């Protein structure tokens, strides 16, 4: 039994090591194997899986970064209202984790249930703020079976430090030298 568990663990680590990292905007991550990828230019990259036999689904959206509204609290609140509340209409306030530091960024996560197609689903918002930017990742699912894949995806996320804005260059237009 112990050897079988060790072999499974080694196989999982090997599969993760061989998985191809992808990038979108400031984020580099390992997408879940077998999920369908879709790209909406300048909006997001998403990954979706559905199981027609069970009716289970899960979607992960990596949203394009934008300027921070001032800090993780403001950024999370804005994203929660404008994405989760407007799209999914959760019936209760989110359970929140964070903010926590990650590689120079602050991370805050909120989770809340919502009704979808006569059943219960779960919306999760992960907002990362740092270096004057904020980036959000949204996951929605109706099955706990997909939560390990969402956790692995989020654990694989690495954010680049955004390039500094170009310095303002003074010109001497119209001045003879």
């Amino acid at each position: 039994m112990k050897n079988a568990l060790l072999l499974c663990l080694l196989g999982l680590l090997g599969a993760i090591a061989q998985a191809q990292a992808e990038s979108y905007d400031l984020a580099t991550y390992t997408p879940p194997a077998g999920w369908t990828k879709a790209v909406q230019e300048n909006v997001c990259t998403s990954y979706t899986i559905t199981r027609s036999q069970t009716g289970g689904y899960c979607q992960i959206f990596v949203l394009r970064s934008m300027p921070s509204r001032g800090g993780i609290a403001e950024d999370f609140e804005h994203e929660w209202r404008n994405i989760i509340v407007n799209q999914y209409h959760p019936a209760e306030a989110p359970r929140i984790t964070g903010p926590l530091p990650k590689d120079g960024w602050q991370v805050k996560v909120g989770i809340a249930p919502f009704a979808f197609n006569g059943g219960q689903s779960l919306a999760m918002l992960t907002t990362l703020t740092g270096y004057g930017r904020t980036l959000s990742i949204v996951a929605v699912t109706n099955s706990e079976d997909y939560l390990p894949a969402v956790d692995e995806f989020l654990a694989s996320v690495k954010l680049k430090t955004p390039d500094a804005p170009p310095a303002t260059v003074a010109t001497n237009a119209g001045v003879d030298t």
Side-chain angles (χ1 to χ4, degrees):
M1 179 75 167
K2 186 176 178 183
N3 287 339
L5 182 59
L6 182 59
L7 285 174
C8 287
L9 181 59
L10 289 174
L12 177 62
L13 292 175
I16 291 171
Q18 290 181 354
Q20 289 287 3
E22 293 189 15
S23 293
Y24 178 74
D25 191 29
L26 298 176
T28 299
Y29 49 83
T30 303
W35 292 37
T36 303
K37 177 181 178 179
V39 178
Q40 294 179 341
E41 288 299 318
N42 297 316
V43 177
C44 73
T45 294
S46 65
Y47 299 89
T48 304
I49 190 165
T50 58
R51 289 208 178 107
S52 57
Q53 307 91 324
T54 63
Y57 77 92
C58 188
Q59 294 179 291
I60 300 172
F61 302 89
V62 181
L63 304 174
R64 185 165 189 78
S65 69
M66 64 180 130
S68 173
R69 297 190 172 291
I72 188 67
E74 297 88 352
D75 294 337
F76 178 86
E77 182 60 34
H78 176 266
E79 297 290 89
W80 185 264
R81 271 193 331 268
N82 288 308
I83 299 168
I84 304 302
V85 172
N86 287 345
Q87 289 288 321
Y88 306 107
H89 312 287
E92 57 189 67
R95 288 175 285 140
I96 295 177
T97 302
L100 301 169
K102 179 180 177 167
D103 302 327
W105 295 78
Q106 290 289 308
V107 181
K108 192 169 183 176
V109 179
I111 301 171
F114 67 97
F116 180 70
N117 281 347
Q120 278 288 84
S121 289
L122 189 67
M124 177 189 305
L125 172 68
T126 303
T127 300
L128 303 104
T129 297
Y131 308 97
R133 303 290 296 173
T134 190
L135 180 142
S136 288
I137 300 170
V138 174
V140 292
T141 186
N142 67 347
S143 173
E144 290 184 10
D145 294 345
Y146 298 111
L147 295 180
V150 172
D151 287 342
E152 287 176 23
F153 180 88
L154 292 171
S156 77
V157 173
K158 304 284 184 243
L159 295 178
K160 300 177 232 173
T161 303
D163 294 332
T168 304
V169 178
T171 61
N172 292 325
V175 177
D176 292 321
T177 54

